[in-house]
Amino acid sequence: MNLFRLLQERVAEGRPVTVGLIGAGKFGSMFLAQARTTPGLHVTAIADLDPDRARAALAATGWPDETCCAPSPAAALERGRIHVTDDAFELIAADGVEVVVDATGNPPAGLEHARCATANGKHIVMANVEADVLAGPLLAAEARQGGLVYSMAYGDQPALICEMVDWAHAAGLGVVAAGKGTKYLPSYHDSTPETVWDGYGISPEQAAEGGMNPQMFNSFLDGTKSAIEMAAVSNATGLVPAPGGLEFPPAGTDELAEVLRPRAEGGTLHHKGQVEVVSSLHRNGEPVERDLRWGVYVVFEASSDYTERCFSEYGLTTDRSGRYSATYKPYHLIGLEVGLSVLSAALRGEPTGTPDGFRGDAVAVAKRHLKAGDNLDGEGGYTVWGRLMPAGDSLAGGALPVGLAHDVPLVNDVAKGRVITWADVKVDETSNAVRIRREMESRFGSLS
């Protein structure tokens, strides 16, 4: 609340909030579409490995032709234009950038961008949830130490879930479960970029016409993205994954409180205070009534008999006991809403969700029987899918994070369905991504 008022105060002072965007894909384009119509929010620079893609994104989202291109972010601020570059580190270090948005989706790149932002005194909005799960607790701690904000991206489901959990805690309500909805069947874990469009009910030709990336869309279908996002929520809220990971119980919006309560009380949860994803499909493939496929939720518990009676008096949908209820948001607007994170960081010095511990991890599981010498192809590919795991279990078992399961060779055979470990792969221990992850594990592993 009051973000727009605070922004207008900056406008009156002649000090717009300046932002540099890294990554001009779908998420970045959605941000650009709304930044253009937010008075006082000034995009001064865009970095993309393909600058022409950045220029195309500006054109597609309604920016005037004359927007491109200023010779520097500082010049962009003076002239009302945007500097386009292929050098993300130039953007981060430049004058005229107050907040950096990483929308690359590339985990190793995101780690380096975050550290560079902190080193240069810039707030960072991490729309790259893959990087956040790989080492977010460390990156956030480093930013806080420097008096800076490391924030999840509002509009993406993890930040919206964090907001709901915060609301429940602040209202004195016990949080029983929180998460999101998705389309899920157990067979989807075997999905590959070759079979993915069957799961979405479209043809490969239709997908190609829409410019849809099969590996990216497969990461949503095969369960990997759900694991990554729920690990991020766990690390930011204190909610803990079940030992077996996500179970994806089918549940519509009116069934959340009934389904998402402890097993001892007739529900599906391993424990209170858990992250979970609900499916929009029953296990027989039939659709769930009033599904939450695009939305987020929190299930909460009455703190007293009086509160429970209030639930009834004010028409809340509860479980059969009347003690558990839920609230939800049926959709999320992804990059269209990320400006709220930018403004919160710049104007309030507050993140819209940030990791403060290592509680959940997304680890690589073999999609098929893999042999020594096979090359892992990462999130949404042919070889692995990502499973949610309590961080302590991940560390104890030496599980390989799915964010590092890309372009690495196996040194051991791995059976289908088994978690791949660090010992199963040949990893370049000198790479920045591996070193940052190892540092995060060392610093936060004892707290898992």
Side-chain angles (χ1 to χ4, degrees):
M1 294 178 63
N2 298 318
L3 273 179
F4 189 69
R5 178 182 59 80
L6 293 173
L7 180 59
Q8 295 318 294
E9 290 176 1
R10 286 279 297 262
V11 171
E13 296 167 3
R15 295 189 305 117
V17 173
T18 57
V19 58
L21 170 67
I22 307 175
K26 180 62 173 176
F27 194 105
S29 295
M30 294 178 81
F31 168 61
L32 290 173
Q34 297 311 111
R36 185 178 65 83
T37 59
T38 307
L41 180 60
H42 193 131
V43 179
T44 54
I46 304 173
D48 195 279
L49 294 175
D50 180 359
D52 286 339
R53 184 170 80 147
R55 297 182 185 99
L58 287 169
T61 55
W63 290 79
D65 292 343
E66 60 270 20
T67 298
C68 282
C69 292
S72 70
L77 185 59
E78 295 173 4
R79 302 176 186 180
R81 295 185 179 182
I82 297 176
H83 176 61
V84 176
T85 178
D86 62 0
D87 188 343
F89 299 101
E90 175 206 350
L91 177 151
I92 295 169
D95 293 334
V97 173
E98 186 176 359
V99 183
V100 175
V101 176
D102 183 295
T104 64
N106 183 303
L111 301 184
E112 295 198 41
H113 296 159
R115 277 201 152 169
C116 184
T118 296
N120 282 275
K122 310 294 174 67
H123 304 302
I124 185 156
V125 175
M126 185 59 81
N128 184 344
V129 69
E130 294 82 3
D132 180 72
V133 168
L134 199 55
L138 175 66
L139 302 176
E142 291 173 345
R144 284 192 295 271
Q145 187 174 359
L148 298 165
V149 172
Y150 172 100
S151 179
M152 291 175 163
Y154 199 86
D156 234 0
Q157 287 168 308
L160 300 181
I161 297 165
C162 290
E163 180 183 47
M164 285 188 162
V165 171
D166 185 67
W167 163 83
H169 282 316
L173 297 166
V175 176
V176 179
K180 67 168 196 170
T182 196
K183 184 180 182 183
Y184 171 83
L185 290 173
S187 60
Y188 289 170
H189 291 311
D190 296 334
S191 179
T192 71
E194 196 171 295
T195 64
V196 61
W197 305 127
D198 293 337
Y200 284 100
I202 63 175
S203 70
E205 292 75 22
Q206 289 172 316
E209 288 174 6
M212 300 164 71
N213 182 313
Q215 185 154 346
M216 181 186 74
F217 275 82
N218 196 46
S219 72
F220 287 94
L221 192 70
D222 71 8
T224 301
K225 190 68 75 174
S226 290
I228 289 171
E229 292 184 335
M230 291 307 99
V233 172
S234 177
N235 294 337
T237 63
L239 303 180
V240 180
L246 297 171
E247 294 195 1
F248 300 92
T253 55
D254 295 335
E255 304 168 304
L256 292 170
E258 184 74 22
V259 172
L260 296 166
R261 54 184 181 151
R263 290 174 192 157
E265 299 178 50
T268 62
L269 296 183
H270 175 268
H271 60 267
K272 290 183 182 179
Q274 182 177 316
V275 288
E276 187 56 90
V277 174
V278 295
S279 176
S280 64
L281 296 176
H282 292 288
R283 291 298 189 259
N284 64 3
E286 292 296 316
V288 167
E289 186 175 354
R290 289 174 53 79
D291 70 80
L292 196 65
R293 179 178 174 185
W294 308 108
V296 296
Y297 76 88
V298 62
V299 174
F300 48 88
E301 182 179 9
S303 56
S304 65
D305 291 342
Y306 181 86
T307 302
E308 182 180 329
R309 187 165 66 250
C310 290
F311 285 0
S312 175
E313 290 170 348
Y314 287 89
L316 275 71
T317 299
T318 67
D319 74 318
R320 67 190 67 182
S321 76
R323 195 162 190 87
Y324 297 105
S325 188
T327 189
Y328 61 90
K329 188 173 185 177
Y331 48 77
H332 63 296
L333 298 181
I334 322 175
L336 298 180
E337 297 180 270
V338 76
L340 276 72
S341 295
V342 173
L343 298 181
S344 184
L347 302 176
R348 290 183 180 150
E350 292 182 356
T352 52
T354 193
D356 61 6
F358 184 39
R359 306 176 187 93
D361 200 9
V363 305
V365 175
K367 280 188 175 179
R368 54 178 172 79
H369 181 72
L370 301 173
K371 296 182 179 181
D374 286 347
N375 221 41
L376 302 183
D377 58 356
E379 179 185 349
Y382 290 86
T383 58
V384 299
W385 61 276
R387 175 185 152 193
L388 180 66
M389 185 180 272
D393 293 349
S394 172
L395 293 175
L400 179 71
V402 72
L404 293 177
H406 181 76
D407 199 25
V408 290
L410 284 170
V411 296
N412 299 318
D413 292 352
V414 181
K416 178 180 178 180
R418 183 166 80 75
V419 173
I420 298 172
T421 68
W422 289 94
D424 291 322
V425 296
K426 184 179 180 180
V427 172
D428 179 5
E429 294 284 350
T430 67
S431 78
N432 283 334
V434 172
R435 287 190 297 183
I436 293 170
R437 169 68 185 206
R438 293 295 202 192
E439 187 178 347
M440 193 277 292
E441 291 180 349
S442 175
R443 181 166 172 179
F444 290 91
S446 61
L447 304 176
S448 301

